[in-house]
Amino acid sequence: MRFTLGLIIAAALCGPLHAQTITGTASVIDGDTIDIHGNRIRLQAIDAIESRQRCRLPSGKLWNCGKDSAFALADKIGRSPVSCKVSDVDRYGRYVAVCSQHGEDLNGWLVRNGWAVAYRRYGQDYVRDEELARKRRAGIWASEFMMPWDWRRR
């Protein structure tokens, strides 16, 4: 009984996982994963083109769209602090979070600018952003590409 009560009190003092915020200078791992002070953070409800993935332009030319996705995120955040509100931990032990900088949702920014797609399997938060990017032919939407989850499976 004492042990159970102790666990309940400890959980109440620590707070729920989703209340955790990680803030600091971020290093970009790929288009949807960053690192802040050794904490790997997967951007929630989006899926970026994989780093080794290529896209085909209308001219037929292949381009390294996966690397460009990561570069776009790195250019966007620079050295300014990023704040990530954690909602979960994925099967790889990464925190899953919505990250922002200067009040702007970076997850949404990536999707709106065509550097990632809405990951509907994990949420509907960025579907409108994806539709906007597709209409504007922004980023990857200006080319032919395989959805990142299909590319990883092949």
Side-chain angles (χ1 to χ4, degrees):
M1 180 69 171
R2 279 188 183 162
F3 180 72
T4 304
L5 182 57
L7 285 177
I8 292 169
I9 291 170
L13 291 174
C14 293
L17 178 64
H18 67 271
Q20 183 176 1
T21 300
I22 300 171
T23 302
T25 303
S27 298
V28 174
I29 305 304
D30 63 26
D32 55 27
T33 307
I34 62 174
D35 185 282
I36 299 175
H37 305 303
N39 298 296
R40 285 283 164 108
I41 302 165
R42 174 72 164 78
L43 302 181
Q44 180 178 315
I46 72 168
D47 201 5
I49 298 298
E50 293 295 319
S51 294
R52 293 186 330 268
Q53 193 172 346
R54 296 173 65 168
C55 298
R56 184 176 304 279
L57 294 169
S59 67
K61 182 180 176 186
L62 292 175
W63 64 289
N64 295 324
C65 54
K67 286 183 181 176
D68 285 352
S69 173
F71 291 150
L73 180 57
D75 288 345
K76 172 70 174 166
I77 63 176
R79 302 304 295 161
S80 295
V82 172
S83 181
C84 299
K85 292 186 180 176
V86 176
S87 62
D88 204 356
V89 174
D90 72 9
R91 63 183 173 165
Y92 303 108
R94 299 174 297 190
Y95 292 106
V96 178
V98 174
C99 296
S100 61
Q101 184 181 57
H102 309 299
E104 182 178 15
D105 178 340
L106 294 171
N107 305 36
W109 180 88
L110 280 161
V111 176
R112 254 188 328 282
N113 286 281
W115 297 117
V117 295
Y119 208 169
R120 290 164 175 82
R121 180 177 175 184
Y122 295 103
Q124 301 294 309
D125 305 18
Y126 302 107
V127 172
R128 281 184 162 168
D129 293 308
E130 181 184 296
E131 291 167 356
L132 176 65
R134 186 180 302 180
K135 283 180 190 171
R136 291 179 25 237
R137 300 191 51 77
I140 58 175
W141 296 106
S143 63
E144 291 179 29
F145 65 94
M146 186 179 293
M147 286 296 186
W149 49 84
D150 291 331
W151 191 86
R152 285 190 297 271
R153 264 199 304 248
R154 58 163 208 118

